[in-house]
Amino acid sequence: MAHINKFENALDELFQKRTYWLRSAIGSKKPGHPPKITRKFVNNGISNLQEIASHALANKLAKLEFDKYIRGKRAWHIKGHGVDEKKSLFEEWFRKEFPNLINCIYVFWGNEKCIYVGRTGIGGSRPSSHFIKFWFKDAKRIDIFPSKSASQTPKLECLAIHHFEPVRNKKKAATKKWTKECPLRVIHKNIEEESRQIFKLK
């Protein structure tokens, strides 16, 4: 309910500023300068609405899709001395735990903070390729979420990014034509399209 109220308040604020000129025409003008409806103003408003939608829906949508398309979860607590030994131990563990697994979502964790979310279609060598990254020194655990379908994996990665909010993911999950689209990304797209129609600029 809090997210719904926050979304409605943010939308109401946009409408208040957008219709200032109309309300002021019948004497409801408030003190101060009239708001400027610029492209930056609209873009910031859209981003704010999308962020609220993410906080409201990410957990629910992630749980729903993970329950459908993820086959359990396994965790590997990072051990070993040096990158080479850690990679060797992880890849050995991965092969034993998932002898036939190709597609999965992997999540690097620090001390209760999500560091990075990724996906792979080539097995354990993809997660271990991150062991050379500068942020890997902060990682304590890697969670592996086996995917039931290659076409669902990008969608699951995208939802995991929204849900876990990793601190080192700079880009949204990449997609391919044959893969399923993230439902939260669809909502973001609809918010943007509708908002740009309502707050159309010349």
Side-chain angles (χ1 to χ4, degrees):
M1 185 62 69
H3 289 303
I4 294 174
N5 292 337
K6 191 173 181 180
F7 188 90
E8 290 182 349
N9 289 338
L11 193 58
D12 288 343
E13 184 180 353
L14 286 174
F15 271 106
Q16 287 286 324
K17 292 180 178 180
R18 183 67 180 87
T19 58
Y20 177 91
W21 64 272
L22 183 60
R23 290 180 287 106
S24 64
I26 58 171
S28 60
K29 185 176 181 180
K30 295 182 179 180
H33 296 290
K36 292 182 179 180
I37 308 302
T38 63
R39 196 169 302 279
K40 182 179 180 181
F41 168 80
V42 174
N43 290 343
N44 288 343
I46 290 171
S47 295
N48 186 37
L49 292 174
Q50 290 173 331
E51 184 177 353
I52 296 170
S54 291
H55 286 301
L57 301 172
N59 294 359
K60 178 181 177 181
L61 291 173
K63 185 180 186 308
L64 182 66
E65 297 298 324
F66 270 51
D67 285 347
K68 285 182 182 178
Y69 301 111
I70 290 294
R71 297 176 299 192
K73 182 187 82 170
R74 297 286 188 277
W76 187 71
H77 294 270
I78 297 170
K79 51 182 165 289
H81 300 284
V83 171
D84 290 342
E85 184 179 359
K86 289 175 181 178
K87 286 181 69 172
S88 177
L89 289 172
F90 170 76
E91 290 174 2
E92 180 183 358
W93 169 85
F94 193 98
R95 285 192 297 271
K96 288 180 180 178
E97 289 288 326
F98 311 106
N100 300 310
L101 179 64
I102 296 177
N103 296 286
C104 70
I105 306 300
Y106 53 89
V107 184
F108 286 80
W109 290 90
N111 293 320
E112 304 305 320
K113 181 182 289 186
C114 181
I115 299 175
Y116 187 84
V117 172
R119 75 172 189 266
T120 180
I122 58 174
S125 62
R126 178 59 179 163
S128 66
S129 71
H130 295 292
F131 286 22
I132 62 172
K133 300 288 181 63
F134 72 94
W135 48 257
F136 178 71
K137 66 182 187 302
D138 299 321
K140 308 296 182 184
R141 186 182 88 240
I142 307 172
D143 288 345
I144 303 296
F145 297 88
S147 173
K148 295 179 181 179
S149 167
S151 65
Q152 299 290 341
T153 307
K155 174 180 71 175
L156 296 170
E157 179 194 16
C158 192
L159 284 170
I161 291 171
H162 288 297
H163 175 51
F164 294 122
E165 298 183 333
V167 296
R168 294 300 178 185
N169 282 78
K170 294 183 178 180
K171 298 180 180 179
K172 294 180 180 179
T175 58
K176 297 179 180 179
K177 289 184 178 180
W178 51 269
T179 60
K180 305 301 181 182
E181 191 168 11
C182 171
L184 194 51
R185 186 177 287 187
V186 172
I187 292 170
H188 280 195
K189 190 182 299 182
N190 290 338
I191 288 172
E192 180 171 7
E193 289 176 354
E194 290 295 325
S195 297
R196 293 205 184 281
Q197 284 296 318
I198 295 169
F199 303 105
K200 192 173 290 186
L201 297 171
K202 294 181 179 180

